[in-house]
Amino acid sequence: MDYFTKFAVPHPSPAIYASVVAIILTMLGIIGVLTYYKKWGYLWREWLTTVDHKRIGIMYLISALLMLFRGGADAIMMRAQTAVPENTLLDAQHYNEIFTTHGTVMLIFMAMPFIYALMNFVVPLQIGARDVAFPRLNALSFWLFFMGAMLFNISFVIGGSPDAGWSAYFPLAGNEFSPSVGTNYYALALQISGLGTLISGINFITTILKMRAPGITLMKMPMFTWSAFVTNVIVVFAFPVLTVALIMMTMDRLFGTHFFASTNGGMDMLWANLFWVWGHPEVYILVLPAFGVYSEIISTFARRNLYGYKSMVASMVIISLLSFLVWTHHFFTMGQGALTNSIFSITTMAIAVPTGIKIFNWLFTLWRGKIVFTVPMLYSLGFIPIFLIGGVTGVMLGMSAADYQYHNTMFLVAHFHYVIIPGVVFAMIAGLTYWWPKMFGFMLHERIGKWAFWVIAISFNVAFFPMFLSGLDGQARRMYTYSESTGFGPLNFISFIGALGLLVGFVLLVYNMYWSIRFAPRNIEADPWDARSLEWATHNPVPAYNFAITPQTHSIEAFWDAKKKGRCLFPGTYKKIHMRNNSGAPFILSCIFFVWGFAFVFSVWNVVILATIGIFICLSHRSFEQDDGYYISVEEIEETENRLRGAIK
């Protein structure tokens, strides 16, 4: 295949060309605004080169919101295609690419950065640290993720998107059935972003174990920090498996090896095993931080200590262990035998037990609490019944014999969304709203936020509950069209209406941010929610150094006890604070990784070699680079503290 054919726009349709024009105009508009207002220097100094965990968290957040709408556009097109029988809106190939990119974008490039946005911003504040353990590695983690996401997203206009499903099963993902470069994009983009995630996992484990403030023992950590710790332990054990699998995939596609081929000694089921050894722990990488978010919010707005703290911690640890022992339930129907299916059916049902413990603990926390129905609390309360439906249907799917009926139907699609959307998206919106004043110094509008919640919650059920029914009636997933005689039309049309409602809800969410940025008052209290954890003991927004004096805590509910019992969180006097210098190296290195990945996708080997040399030069330069940082003087600290107090008053 010549380069011209490889680089061709895959679907020369008006929609694709309109997307390209919109992207170009948006980029030109951004460049024009930055140039007109002379903000290039500010952008470079304050954001592109930052090593501040708070700003890195905000950049993760912006990326996640962009990818939410990118993946949402795919979802709308899928639901529009299946809304009526024998629809010709999309052809089979385009539909395959859309559902592949939808799943990959939503799980890897939307949910993961949303989670790391909250981890980056909140975890150091909850443990009384001034930053993460390795600030430059933290910046590199973000930029590697971002460049991986950008590499994946340019595929739909240059060369073609992957089309083998988000799980990329072989032999479908091999050259024989996926001859375009789309699956190359998949392998290289996930490899680059996965490297950033693995680095983050190591960074946060080190931060939580080594940088806690005096008095914060492991069993006095806030629940969100515990969830972040357990999640990153899973990351460190699971992501190397994905790395190895993607290397083998790349070698099969570009170098003619036969790891996953169905001939010449290969084994296509090897990919399925490697993928799901990573893929099912990945589900808990997404859900466990959400459990931490809900624990913080429910205890705050029920005005009660979290019920069963130790059992909550134990259940997360048990979930992390069992998450590596259930992967085979993803292919019960692929012929591994009755004994294997039985064993993994038992482990699948067992993992529901610690999850159920957490649900009961939240309910007991709510029992006789003085509940305040704020926006974060509404998402937390809405999560419980919706997630329960997802969990019950998961147990149904966990019965290996019954799974032969459910597996390749829309029932499974409905189950997955009933777990992931309330278990991740609801939690991230709740956490974003809860910690928004800590990030930006002002509140989101409560009434608009409640409108968005009700539209999203109702529309979600309208969109996905009909899939349970059509799946039980036999509608296969990944099916781009169907005949009118099947009777699936009315249920699919209802799902389409629900998808449009979700779009309206997310537009309301963005409008809330816009309105609040323009009009929300900035003179809020340091603790607008009457919250409990240590991060609320600092100012809104948080200063660059986080805490003027290193805090000393005495209990799990550090800030609550300090307010109610008069305990001193900040003994001592101001001292100069050491800060890390910003660095352009992570951004430059990630740009070289982007070029390396793009060249690899199209087998442009001379550019691959040059980019590889550039990567090693950057790494070598960094190993000899001195970073002594800088100090914030006592006078500067006093001035900042007085200014922030004055703004609050």
Side-chain angles (χ1 to χ4, degrees):
M1 185 183 295
D2 57 50
Y3 285 150
F4 179 79
T5 304
K6 284 184 175 182
F7 284 88
V9 175
H11 293 283
S13 66
I16 294 293
Y17 287 128
S19 299
V20 174
V21 171
I23 292 169
I24 293 173
L25 290 177
T26 302
M27 292 178 65
L28 290 175
I30 293 172
I31 292 171
V33 169
L34 290 172
T35 303
Y36 180 80
Y37 289 103
K38 300 178 181 179
K39 292 294 185 180
W40 285 107
Y42 167 81
L43 183 66
W44 175 258
R45 291 190 309 272
E46 301 297 331
W47 292 96
L48 299 184
T49 62
T50 186
V51 296
D52 183 354
H53 71 96
K54 299 180 291 298
R55 290 195 167 180
I56 290 171
I58 291 170
M59 291 193 292
Y60 269 118
L61 172 63
I62 294 169
S63 303
L65 291 173
L66 290 174
M67 291 300 102
L68 177 63
F69 281 89
R70 165 69 175 90
D74 289 336
I76 293 294
M77 285 190 284
M78 283 192 292
R79 297 275 61 83
Q81 169 64 22
T82 58
V84 294
E86 300 175 3
N87 198 350
T88 58
L89 176 66
L90 303 173
D91 59 34
Q93 175 62 22
H94 200 178
Y95 187 81
N96 288 347
E97 294 182 10
I98 285 172
F99 77 67
T100 300
T101 56
H102 168 75
T104 309
V105 165
M106 286 301 205
L107 289 170
I108 305 300
F109 301 123
M110 185 281 291
M112 290 294 288
F114 229 140
I115 287 165
Y116 275 103
L118 296 186
M119 282 188 192
N120 266 279
F121 199 96
V122 175
V123 168
L125 296 176
Q126 286 198 332
I127 64 173
R130 294 220 160 94
D131 210 313
V132 295
F134 309 111
R136 287 193 171 187
L137 274 182
N138 198 28
L140 179 62
S141 298
F142 167 75
W143 287 114
L144 286 174
F145 149 76
F146 184 80
M147 293 303 172
M150 293 303 100
L151 180 64
F152 186 87
N153 277 278
I154 64 171
S155 64
F156 84 104
V157 293
I158 304 177
S161 297
D163 57 1
W166 89 275
S167 53
Y169 278 170
F170 279 80
L172 190 60
N175 288 325
E176 180 182 0
F177 296 103
S178 295
S180 76
V181 296
T183 305
N184 296 353
Y185 272 116
Y186 175 95
L188 274 301
L190 265 64
Q191 192 73 274
I192 293 170
S193 64
L195 177 60
T197 303
L198 181 58
I199 293 171
S200 286
I202 298 168
N203 206 346
F204 276 100
I205 291 172
T206 308
T207 301
I208 293 169
L209 289 180
K210 303 297 290 184
M211 299 186 67
R212 301 189 306 276
I216 304 181
T217 62
L218 285 176
M219 294 309 291
K220 289 182 181 178
M221 292 196 306
M223 195 52 62
F224 180 70
T225 298
W226 255 114
S227 71
F229 177 71
V230 174
T231 297
N232 284 289
V233 170
I234 300 175
V235 165
V236 168
F237 280 95
F239 266 79
V241 180
L242 179 66
T243 300
V244 171
L246 291 173
I247 291 172
M248 296 164 74
M249 169 188 273
T250 304
M251 294 180 70
D252 270 15
R253 290 187 56 84
L254 298 181
F255 300 113
T257 58
H258 297 89
F259 291 110
F260 306 127
S262 54
T263 58
N264 298 315
M267 184 185 297
D268 52 359
M269 283 301 296
L270 176 61
W271 168 265
N273 277 277
L274 289 175
F275 182 86
W276 288 115
V277 166
W278 163 80
H280 200 86
E282 165 67 11
V283 173
Y284 291 98
I285 290 170
L286 300 178
V287 170
L288 284 176
F291 291 168
V293 171
Y294 289 135
S295 296
E296 300 284 348
I297 291 171
I298 288 173
S299 65
T300 294
F301 297 114
R303 298 292 187 262
R304 294 192 63 193
N305 290 348
L306 183 67
Y307 182 89
Y309 177 91
K310 292 181 180 179
S311 63
M312 285 291 230
V313 173
S315 65
M316 283 195 291
V317 174
I318 293 169
I319 288 171
S320 70
L321 296 174
L322 289 176
S323 70
F324 287 92
L325 301 175
V326 296
W327 81 90
T328 300
H329 71 214
H330 289 276
F331 40 91
F332 274 152
T333 62
M334 296 184 188
Q336 53 273 348
L339 177 61
T340 301
N341 281 359
S342 298
I343 291 171
F344 283 93
S345 184
I346 292 168
T347 59
T348 299
M349 296 180 190
I351 204 169
V353 175
T355 307
I357 290 172
K358 303 182 83 62
I359 297 287
F360 279 110
N361 282 351
W362 290 321
L363 293 175
F364 285 135
T365 304
L366 292 167
W367 180 252
R368 294 185 177 178
K370 298 178 180 179
I371 300 173
V372 183
F373 292 100
T374 60
V375 171
M377 190 62 159
L378 287 176
Y379 280 105
S380 303
L381 296 176
F383 149 82
I384 294 175
I386 296 174
F387 187 81
L388 186 62
I389 295 173
V392 170
T393 54
V395 173
M396 293 171 65
L397 287 158
M399 295 184 288
S400 56
D403 193 56
Y404 278 84
Q405 171 67 29
Y406 307 135
H407 183 71
N408 272 320
T409 69
M410 295 300 289
F411 186 92
L412 186 147
V413 176
H415 152 73
F416 185 76
H417 285 83
Y418 263 80
V419 170
I420 292 299
I421 291 183
V424 180
V425 179
F426 277 29
M428 295 306 107
I429 298 174
L432 173 63
T433 308
Y434 181 66
W435 282 301
W436 182 276
K438 197 54 54 184
M439 294 179 180
F440 301 107
F442 59 93
M443 301 273 291
L444 290 173
H445 194 281
E446 274 286 291
R447 182 177 296 176
I448 300 173
K450 290 178 179 179
W451 290 347
F453 163 75
W454 285 111
V455 172
I456 290 172
I458 294 170
S459 299
F460 166 79
N461 286 283
V462 173
F464 292 103
F465 196 84
M467 295 180 188
F468 284 125
L469 305 179
S470 65
L472 291 175
D473 283 343
Q475 183 182 1
R477 57 182 173 144
R478 307 192 183 104
M479 186 170 63
Y480 89 103
T481 190
Y482 54 93
S483 68
E484 190 170 353
S485 62
T486 60
F488 299 146
L491 290 172
N492 281 304
F493 190 79
I494 293 171
S495 290
F496 175 58
I497 298 300
L500 292 178
L502 281 171
L503 175 62
V504 172
F506 288 120
V507 169
L508 280 172
L509 180 67
V510 173
Y511 174 72
N512 192 2
M513 296 177 190
Y514 166 78
W515 189 95
S516 301
I517 291 170
R518 290 287 305 275
F519 304 113
R522 265 51 176 179
N523 58 339
I524 61 172
E525 299 175 1
D527 177 19
W529 302 118
D530 200 16
R532 295 169 172 259
S533 300
L534 179 60
E535 74 272 18
W536 291 98
T538 186
H539 298 286
N540 297 320
V542 183
Y545 47 77
N546 292 356
F547 300 98
I549 299 170
T550 301
Q552 292 188 17
T553 68
H554 306 278
S555 71
I556 299 170
E557 310 285 346
F559 188 43
W560 179 268
D561 287 350
K563 290 188 297 181
K564 302 301 178 182
K565 299 179 182 178
R567 289 175 171 171
C568 181
L569 276 174
F570 303 104
T573 57
Y574 294 150
K575 297 179 182 178
K576 63 181 181 179
I577 297 172
H578 180 262
M579 303 290 291
R580 292 286 187 181
N581 287 322
N582 286 353
S583 173
F587 177 75
I588 294 169
L589 181 58
S590 66
C591 289
I592 298 174
F593 263 104
F594 178 88
V595 174
W596 177 86
F598 187 82
F600 231 121
V601 166
F602 291 98
S603 304
V604 186
W605 300 118
N606 53 348
V607 178
V608 170
I609 293 170
L610 289 174
T612 303
I613 294 171
I615 290 169
F616 278 103
I617 289 173
C618 283
L619 293 174
S620 300
H621 176 264
R622 174 67 189 102
S623 66
F624 291 101
E625 188 178 7
Q626 296 293 324
D627 178 25
D628 296 328
Y630 66 96
Y631 284 92
I632 301 178
S633 67
V634 173
E635 292 75 19
E636 290 177 282
I637 296 169
E638 290 177 338
E639 180 183 350
T640 302
E641 293 292 307
N642 291 333
R643 175 171 52 81
L644 289 169
R645 289 194 191 95
I648 292 170
K649 291 178 182 178

